[in-house]
Amino acid sequence: MQRLVMTSIFALGIATAASATVVSEDSPAADNTDSVYEETLDFVGNPVYTSDGEMIGVVSSATTEADGDRMILVTFDDSFNDEYAGWEFELDDKWETTGELTVLWTAEELKGWIDANGALQQEAREAAKVEN
């Protein structure tokens, strides 16, 4: 079975907790030397947890688009979700990582969102294939 990647048109809440630092847009980078691209790459390898502490996967890639948008791909652990490969979303441009990310939803809430949106995204992909 092919595992699909979920995408999010909005950044599902990610809690800062002790895992990320929010800085103002005009603040310099934490070490004053990293570019936005380098700061985005710092997310790769970070574990991702739900608000109730369940590890859902790791950040497997992070990119900075030509327009400056920062995207990360969270690859799901099979134990969290074996139908979808991962979840890609835009990262707020003010975020820097300190080693892990925590989503604001519980595991149950996130699984519900994935189930609801995964079916819609699959339908959209199939409709796009028919049009082409």
Side-chain angles (χ1 to χ4, degrees):
M1 167 176 33
Q2 178 183 7
R3 293 178 64 201
L4 303 171
V5 173
M6 297 289 302
T7 57
S8 178
I9 58 173
F10 60 96
L12 180 65
I14 294 186
T16 58
S19 59
T21 304
V22 178
V23 296
S24 69
E25 203 165 314
D26 54 330
S27 294
D31 62 7
N32 296 326
T33 60
D34 284 349
S35 67
V36 170
Y37 174 73
E38 291 168 325
E39 289 176 8
T40 304
L41 284 179
D42 287 344
F43 284 88
V44 175
N46 287 185
V48 182
Y49 298 91
T50 60
S51 64
D52 54 350
E54 183 173 340
M55 184 173 169
I56 65 171
V58 298
V59 177
S60 58
S61 71
T63 58
T64 303
E65 306 292 316
D67 62 2
D69 290 345
R70 299 180 340 157
M71 303 296 293
I72 63 172
L73 173 63
V74 175
T75 300
F76 293 137
D77 286 344
D78 286 344
S79 61
F80 177 73
N81 189 307
D82 62 359
E83 183 176 355
Y84 296 100
W87 174 35
E88 181 178 51
F89 58 92
E90 186 175 334
L91 196 62
D92 187 299
D93 64 352
K94 296 171 181 65
W95 286 68
E96 294 180 15
T97 184
T98 59
E100 69 181 48
L101 299 173
T102 303
V103 298
L104 294 175
W105 288 349
T106 65
E108 184 176 325
E109 291 168 332
L110 182 55
K111 287 176 183 177
W113 183 87
I114 290 168
D115 289 342
N117 288 281
L120 293 173
Q121 289 183 24
Q122 182 60 25
E123 290 172 13
R125 282 185 192 98
E126 290 175 10
K129 287 180 187 175
V130 170
E131 290 178 9
N132 294 329

